[in-house]
Amino acid sequence: MADAVMTGHKYVTPTRKRSGFRKMMERKSTIAFLMALPLLILLSVMVLYPFGYSLHLATLNKSMTRFVGFGNFAFLFKRETFWLVVQQSCIFAITAVVFKALIGFIVAHFVHNIPNKGQRKWRGMLLVPWVIPPAMSTLAWLWLFDPSYSAFNWLLSFVGIGPIPWTGDAYWARFSVILVNVWYGAPFFLIMYLASLKSVPEQLYEAAAIDGANWWQRIWFVTLPMMRNIISITVLFSLIVTFANFDIVRILTAGGPIDKTHVFATWAFWVGIQSGDIPLGATVSLFMFPILAVCAVFILRDIHRRGNEA
Amino acid sequence: MTATTAETYEAKRGSATRPRYGSMSRDRQWALRWSYFFLVLFAIFFLTPPIYMIITSLKSSAEISAATSPWWVYHPTLSNYKELLGSSQYLIYFRNSAMVSICVVTVTMLISIPAAFALARMRFWGSTALATGVFLTYLVPDSLLFIPLFKMFAVFNEWTGIQLLNKWYCLLLVYPTLTVPFCTWILIGYFASIPKELDEAALMDGANYRQILLRVFIPVALPGLIAATIFAFTVSWAQFLYPLALTTSADQLVLPVGIITSLIKGDVFNWGQIMTGALLGALPPLVIYAFLMDYYIAGLTAGATKG
């Protein structure tokens, strides 16, 4: 990170007599600070302050008149739904990220395998899920999963598989939200891994081939070590985004059936905005913070390491 | 040990001179066929929902509920498009979305460009910490802050009498928190990669900072600026949680929320119109992507690889 901030190079300004204030205004660091000031204001008013405010909200009672300390937290720990949400959030995020990373890795290899001419076209096609706003594409999935007109069930009926309750049954609903999330996120991994595959020197593979390495050994001993850093950054990054996912779960199942697919974001929305218990909703969304912080620390470390390698 | 490395080195040199795709061995040909086979499979997986949107949008409601194949259009009709584009409701959503996105892109650029310039080229007290802070806020998801923001706007109304909740322009205050950190971050990368000789030469010619930024940095880092603009636009176009939490009246909604709240009436799903609305709503990002794919991908990969 520190590498991005270049050391200012000094130059001599023609010195004229000026008032102290104007002199200060013309100093380089003052100009720089003023240029970054809008950013600083935005981040402190719209990010830092709300975060502190949500810590404050989390300690109030429902009508926000009385300080209850950790009362909201204690209340949540006693609720069964909360533990369901914790469990589902973890299952959802981990499974989805693993499959996204796997599919991205595999498809990136296939795209990398074909002649260069065709790669652009395939890459362009495969990235489409990432480009469509998730709220819109999830609607298409909702329609594909429709209980009575599901186009998937229509196809499956030919192979004799009975109508699947895609969003009606708790286990199928969990599967469906993960499937849609994988569909939406895998192209991102594909693009990142493809860019990273291209940067692995061809000579390494040739050397490995001559040493008699099979394709598995080539992946294990050449590709993976060369891509390790980008893999960990994308996985951590995606873990944050998936853990905090809202759009897909909200539109596809809205947390149902019987709260079985709620993740932190959708439950916080349900509790905080729809049921009007703002302090409790703020408390729920705060539970996302620890895992986000852990991921952020690791990402920063990886990016810093990457910067040092370069 | 040294002998083997010397051997591999020789062999490496030997193989490097061989044409790569000229004489295709049988193995390689099979690998290629399998690659195409699986690519087709994955392409089907990735493209099914958008294609199904198109199919459904061309059907009348009678055909949608008919027992015919859902994967084929027997009587294509544009009635869904006509109805949707003729309804003032949908056009209001589209207008709100367009206004919000364009304003947010402008605000984002006005904040990000100078900040990135200052962080990449000048140093001031706390600049390193601020650059790290920018990256960290990029990692803050919308679902962490929507409840305090909602309450903040409500309290702000109590204090000043200015109603921001349930107004489309309150999104202009909120969206930059999602776009500015990333745009600043990738612009820092692009600006830092500009050779210092360029701005030194400009300084020697007597240019001030404003001129260096406008005449040197912006033209040279134009690809990065385009990538950042595309990112800011697609993020603000696609954002769903903030407008869902902060706006409720029908004339203040943006597209994603509008489609979901107004086209779904109770339990009645008019799927032909929903799919048409979603498709038209997905069109602006798709068009940008189709024409500026390289910039789009550059922005995507720069986020995690630069730094």
Side-chain angles (χ1 to χ4, degrees), chain B residues 111-188:
Chain B
I111 297 177
S112 288
I113 295 172
F117 179 69
L119 289 173
R121 271 300 195 265
M122 301 147 123
R123 184 180 260 185
F124 55 95
W125 187 83
S127 58
T128 324
L130 183 58
T132 313
V134 167
F135 185 70
L136 285 178
T137 42
Y138 167 44
L139 300 176
V140 173
D142 48 5
S143 40
L144 189 65
L145 296 181
F146 70 99
I147 290 177
L149 282 170
F150 176 83
K151 185 65 193 154
M152 256 171 72
F153 285 132
V155 171
F156 186 74
N157 183 31
E158 281 166 29
W159 283 358
T160 61
I162 302 171
Q163 177 67 275
L164 283 173
L165 272 182
N166 201 10
K167 294 277 185 272
W168 65 267
Y169 42 78
C170 79
L171 301 177
L172 299 183
L173 293 171
V174 178
Y175 283 9
T177 59
L178 303 168
T179 56
V180 165
F182 183 77
C183 290
T184 312
W185 176 253
I186 62 170
L187 285 178
I188 290 176

Side-chain angles (χ1 to χ4, degrees), chain A residues 9, chain B residues 121 193-204 216-217:
Chain A
H9 46 107
Chain B
R121 271 300 195 265
S193 69
I194 293 175
K196 266 193 183 162
E197 286 75 17
L198 267 183
D199 36 318
E200 271 161 14
L203 273 177
M204 293 290 276
V216 180
F217 273 68

Side-chain angles (χ1 to χ4, degrees), chain A residues 88-102 174-175 178 181-182 239 242:
Chain A
Q88 169 63 9
S89 292
C90 294
I91 296 174
F92 174 74
I94 292 168
T95 326
V97 170
V98 166
F99 278 100
K100 279 190 260 193
L102 268 179
R174 284 176 173 179
F175 169 80
I178 291 170
N181 198 289
V182 169
L239 209 54
T242 316

